[in-house]
Amino acid sequence: MTETPTPADLVADLTLTEKVRLVHGAVDPEGRATGYVPGVERLNIPPLRLVDGPLGVRVPGESATAFPAPVALAATFDSALAREHGAALGRETRGAGQDALLAPGVNLIRVPHNGRNFEYLSEDPVLSATMGARVVAGIQSADVIATPKHYVANSQETHRASVSAEIGERALRECYLPSFRDAVEAGAGSVMTAYNGVDGVRMSDHRELLTEVLKGEWGFDGFVVSDWYGTEGAAATANAGLDVEMPGAPPEELHDGTGEENDEGGAENGGDGGGTDGSDGGFDDLPEEIARGMPDPRTCERFAEALADAVRDGDVPESRLDDMVARVLRAMDDVGLLSEEDDRAAGAVDTPAHREHAREVAARGTVLLKNDGGALPLDDGDDVAVIGPNVDEAVLGGGGSSETTPVVATAPVEGFEARAAGDVTVAHGLPRVEGVSMFDLLAGDEETDEDARGPDVDGAVDAAGDADAAVVFVRDAATEAMDRESLRLPGRQDELVERTAAAAARTVVVVNTSAPVELPWRDTVDAVLVNWYPGQAHGDAVASVCYGDADPGGRLPVTFAPEGAYPTAVDERRFPGVDGAVSHDEGVFVGYRWFDADDDRAAGAGDAEPTYPFGHGRSYATFEYRDASVEAAPAADDAEYRVTVTVANVADRDGREVVQAYVRPPAVDGVDRPVRELAGFEAVAIPAGEERTVEVALDERAFARYGESGWRVDSGEYAVEIGRSSRDARVERVVERRDEA
Ligand code: BGC
């Protein structure tokens, strides 16, 4: 019996031309993969197929489960659910005959306007890192290569291909890098670089962050893949540590496998399969708003002939090329692509289990911001007016490379009609709010179909007045390649809410958005649910929460605040940047760290108080906290410390709680630290009248900060706040640490 050759054996047998082919994208002959690396038949190396993206598998013209947006997954604060989520994404990828998934998106949510926030997880490094790592582990468990992206500091779409994020070491280490480091530790086979630069160096050329930090310090032994058309050099890029260039062919060739223009793969499915400009040489002609978010597709063949020449000329050592190839082959080998028998985990697209998982995440990620007078849950027999311009359609996601087309989807109206025992009346009130898609904008198709319905706010007000409860659905519109102009809801949706609320006996507002929006009417309505982009199960999931079949288990992974109060709103140097540079001079004060700061840092930002703080979310049940302790963990434990707390559900209904532990560090002269930082969390289901002992693991980072000579723990007393949100501590314990620098 012959042994299967190892990646190292294979590298030794490859010719220079074959090696270069393995580090350079090409056209998928089947026209299905988003990225394709041809194999080497002579040595039984199969091709490698990479596919988008974080909300589900996106093969042009085909369907797959449209899962809720990652920001909804993060809102569950449930790391076990994140693992299941990754496994489901991985099985769908295998089911579609693909080998690598271009997900998860683990960039920190720094700018609330970012058009891709829905593809990311949260504004907090511990939440993002924990959830992202579990998604990675799940994807890899299905014998699929996970590709955490976009490394690193891709916090905005405006000028994403050209801006440099001026961050500095401390904020990079404390805020922006942890989710990538944990994704690597969880076994990611690949990492995708960001288009932007960091501190003046383009990420695809960033030797320090690619070779020294990612591969050196963290021991990453998989491959670094460029974002699509994201490379700018051959020798310098390869020498910096980039391993695979994508997509490797101009847009017009990627349309289908024939190299001929394909007019069919409609924009809805991202028919270009390549995630960028669909017209030959059209880069110069793109509308300004989208051009500002696009890379130049003419730079797509740098790792082909140019790289071969660079190796022949000695500009790139052959050992570097060998390492690039070995990395690709190792990642392939890890998921079983190189073994002689095909013993890879089987997969399938759109299974009953995946449909159910999509529904569960959509329901569990729903955040109940307020619930005055027990407005929710609805009674089965209530007469309900379902109101909103888009109540006939499920909100599947935002625009761009993450667009996924499901086989089935339930709209809000369908969900309510299936669940309600009372009457359901429907009123749109306003013309449909159009989603925006990068693909439509690229195709120059900015047409918004004029909605024949026209506005009828009065009709909605009448329907609200006649019902026991009005449930009003509002939404935003977000896409890759463009940031949201404002955190206000588009069109006249605020007015629709205000007027229906004035007429209705009870008003519940369901907010379907990519990230925070302003809620100017919040004091005039009874209940508010943030339901994000819930995917194909929209109607079922939201009805199950509204009628109390599911407890709203979600907590905010991003602070909701007035638009002008965010750190990136007060200075255009911070967003969208000036002269190609984006200043991160807010440092580690991102998200709630900014809003919590008790100095005048935030004073220039007007009303700097959050409307709803990070971690906030109500349950239909009521929880009490007691008997907390924080102990150093035994040496063999993964955690450094363990928080133990008893949580009692004192309500007469089952509920879901998310126990959050925040650490308040001691004051140290000359060091500006956030008031509190999330250190750990645990989601737990607690039946009516029962209690649970909940353990939250804290790792060393819970106490550490990044100083001039690296990570250190200052001496002093650290308060551990244990409770329901960043601003709702229920019990507190103090941990004494001695300087362990
Ligand atoms: C996006 C990536 C995506 C790639 C392939 C790029 O425009 O930034 O997230 O995976 O296209 O579609």
Side-chain angles (χ1 to χ4, degrees):
M1 205 177 92
T2 52
E3 295 257 314
T4 308
T6 64
D9 300 336
L10 290 170
V11 173
D13 283 347
L14 288 163
T15 66
L16 176 64
T17 310
E18 287 167 339
K19 287 177 195 171
V20 169
R21 281 183 50 187
L22 285 169
V23 297
H24 172 69
V27 176
D28 175 7
E30 294 180 1
R32 299 177 70 241
T34 315
Y36 181 85
V37 179
V40 178
E41 228 182 311
R42 181 178 77 79
L43 295 173
N44 293 325
I45 300 174
L48 176 65
R49 301 177 173 91
L50 296 69
V51 75
D52 276 316
L55 280 71
V57 171
R58 185 175 74 87
V59 174
E62 297 179 23
S63 299
T65 306
F67 293 102
V71 71
L73 176 71
T76 69
F77 279 66
D78 186 334
S79 59
L81 194 67
R83 173 77 167 59
E84 265 178 55
H85 191 72
L89 284 168
R91 285 190 300 266
E92 294 256 332
T93 308
R94 289 283 295 126
Q98 306 290 305
D99 311 306
L101 185 66
L102 303 172
V106 298
N107 289 110
L108 199 74
I109 297 183
R110 166 181 187 257
V111 179
H113 299 79
N114 181 3
R116 293 186 91 171
N117 281 340
F118 69 95
E119 291 190 60
Y120 301 139
L121 295 160
S122 86
E123 68 185 25
D124 177 79
V126 170
L127 180 59
S128 293
T130 307
M131 298 297 278
R134 301 325 293 155
V135 173
V136 164
I139 294 171
Q140 294 273 159
S141 77
D143 287 341
V144 167
I145 298 171
T147 315
K149 65 188 186 183
H150 311 85
Y151 184 69
V152 59
N154 182 185
S155 303
Q156 65 185 62
E157 292 298 285
T158 309
H159 301 306
R160 65 171 168 167
S162 57
V163 289
S164 170
E166 307 294 307
I167 302 187
E169 181 89 6
R170 178 176 171 211
L172 203 54
R173 294 282 183 169
E174 290 189 18
C175 296
Y176 298 92
L177 290 176
S179 54
F180 289 95
R181 183 189 46 197
D182 284 14
V184 166
E185 205 177 293
S190 175
V191 169
M192 187 191 293
T193 48
Y195 290 125
N196 54 274
V198 168
D199 294 331
V201 183
R202 216 181 148 70
M203 275 312 301
S204 55
D205 290 341
H206 211 298
R207 190 182 158 78
E208 191 188 334
L209 287 171
L210 298 181
T211 298
E212 289 166 30
V213 174
L214 174 67
K215 295 178 176 179
E217 276 180 42
W218 303 344
F220 174 63
D221 70 355
F223 65 92
V224 176
V225 61
S226 75
D227 199 345
W228 268 230
Y229 307 108
T231 48
E232 283 221 324
T237 305
N239 288 334
L242 191 101
D243 302 306
V244 175
E245 178 199 49
M246 277 291 161
E252 64 276 12
E253 280 179 27
L254 289 171
H255 282 202
D256 61 15
T258 66
E260 288 170 19
E261 279 279 353
N262 168 11
D263 297 329
E264 278 163 25
E268 199 185 319
N269 288 320
D272 67 5
T276 190
D277 180 14
S279 60
D280 190 3
F283 185 70
D284 289 332
D285 312 325
L286 289 177
E288 160 70 6
E289 61 195 326
I290 192 85
R292 289 189 300 159
M294 295 311 295
D296 186 343
R298 291 167 296 202
T299 68
C300 62
E301 292 193 292
R302 300 239 154 96
F303 275 23
E305 231 6 81
L307 181 63
D309 287 345
V311 173
R312 280 188 210 102
D313 296 346
D315 294 336
V316 173
E318 185 141 7
S319 59
R320 172 76 262 268
L321 180 61
D322 288 353
D323 175 51
M324 291 156 72
V325 174
R327 287 171 174 279
V328 174
L329 294 175
R330 268 200 304 265
M332 291 174 71
D333 196 32
D334 278 352
V335 297
L337 265 166
L338 299 184
S339 55
E340 267 170 21
E341 297 115 63
D342 186 1
D343 51 5
R344 300 172 73 196
V349 169
D350 186 44
T351 63
H354 295 172
R355 290 184 181 189
E356 171 49 23
H357 176 78
R359 194 205 56 75
E360 185 178 4
V361 173
R364 299 255 315 264
T366 302
V367 185
L368 179 61
L369 293 182
K370 68 174 280 187
N371 192 21
D372 288 354
L376 285 176
L378 301 170
D379 287 331
D380 287 1
D382 279 343
D383 291 339
V384 178
V386 176
I387 295 171
N390 294 57
V391 292
D392 306 316
E393 59 191 270
V395 178
L396 298 176
S401 56
S402 65
E403 287 174 39
T404 309
T405 308
V407 177
V408 289
T410 52
V413 168
E414 293 167 320
F416 273 78
E417 281 174 345
R419 179 60 182 76
D423 288 346
V424 175
T425 52
V426 178
H428 298 101
L430 296 171
R432 186 171 171 265
V433 176
E434 291 280 334
V436 278
S437 166
M438 173 178 87
F439 297 116
D440 294 346
L441 295 167
L442 287 174
D445 177 10
E446 283 180 85
E447 295 260 309
T448 46
D449 303 329
E450 224 4 81
D451 193 328
R453 274 196 314 247
D456 181 18
V457 178
D458 292 342
V461 170
D462 290 345
D466 291 342
D468 296 315
V471 183
V472 190
F473 287 80
V474 293
R475 61 162 296 174
D476 73 348
T479 182
E480 176 180 344
M482 227 170 85
D483 294 316
R484 286 188 297 161
E485 264 171 37
S486 151
L487 303 189
R488 300 300 292 252
L489 290 166
R492 292 165 57 193
Q493 295 181 91
D494 286 335
E495 179 195 335
L496 180 68
V497 174
E498 275 156 18
R499 292 203 42 214
T500 47
R506 249 190 300 165
T507 309
V508 176
V509 183
V510 180
V511 179
N512 288 119
T513 61
S514 54
V517 283
E518 290 199 337
L519 312 168
W521 31 256
R522 64 187 178 281
D523 292 337
T524 66
V525 303
D526 301 288
V528 181
L529 287 166
V530 180
N531 183 229
W532 315 107
Y533 292 166
Q536 66 177 42
H538 190 174
D540 288 340
V542 80
S544 74
V545 172
C546 285
Y547 284 93
D549 308 331
D551 197 33
R555 305 293 184 263
L556 287 181
V558 282
T559 303
F560 272 50
E563 176 154 19
Y566 290 89
T568 51
V570 292
D571 186 342
E572 63 174 6
R573 290 182 311 113
R574 291 194 186 140
F575 175 73
V578 173
D579 295 336
V582 173
S583 165
H584 283 50
D585 64 358
E586 79 281 6
V588 298
F589 295 88
V590 178
Y592 63 90
R593 291 160 163 76
W594 165 266
F595 291 96
D596 283 353
D598 57 0
D599 53 21
D600 54 10
R601 184 189 324 275
D607 177 7
E609 281 301 295
T611 23
Y612 295 101
F614 177 85
H616 171 75
R618 301 175 61 100
S619 160
Y620 295 146
T622 306
F623 302 103
E624 285 177 5
Y625 285 61
R626 59 183 163 75
D627 302 335
S629 66
V630 183
E631 305 288 343
D637 204 314
D638 282 346
E640 280 290 312
Y641 281 78
R642 288 205 168 265
V643 174
T644 308
V645 65
T646 302
V647 182
N649 177 355
V650 297
D652 58 4
R653 58 184 309 133
D654 300 348
R656 285 197 167 273
E657 180 62 319
V658 175
V659 177
Q660 303 167 41
Y662 295 84
V663 169
R664 277 203 339 256
V668 175
D669 276 354
V671 182
D672 207 4
R673 279 190 83 170
V675 173
R676 62 177 62 76
E677 295 176 27
L678 182 69
F681 54 88
E682 197 64 43
V684 58
I686 311 183
E690 294 191 19
E691 61 182 43
R692 292 283 181 274
T693 302
V694 182
E695 276 201 342
V696 181
L698 310 186
D699 69 16
E700 189 55 32
R701 289 174 281 179
F703 303 97
R705 66 177 170 90
Y706 198 84
E708 267 164 29
S709 47
W711 288 102
R712 56 172 296 148
V713 175
D714 297 310
S715 300
E717 289 187 347
Y718 291 77
V720 181
E721 298 177 340
I722 304 146
R724 304 204 69 246
S725 87
S726 60
R727 299 230 173 156
D728 187 2
R730 296 297 170 96
V731 276
E732 187 175 307
R733 292 289 176 271
V734 171
V735 171
E736 174 88 33
R737 300 291 308 256
R738 267 176 301 115
D739 197 333
E740 289 154 23

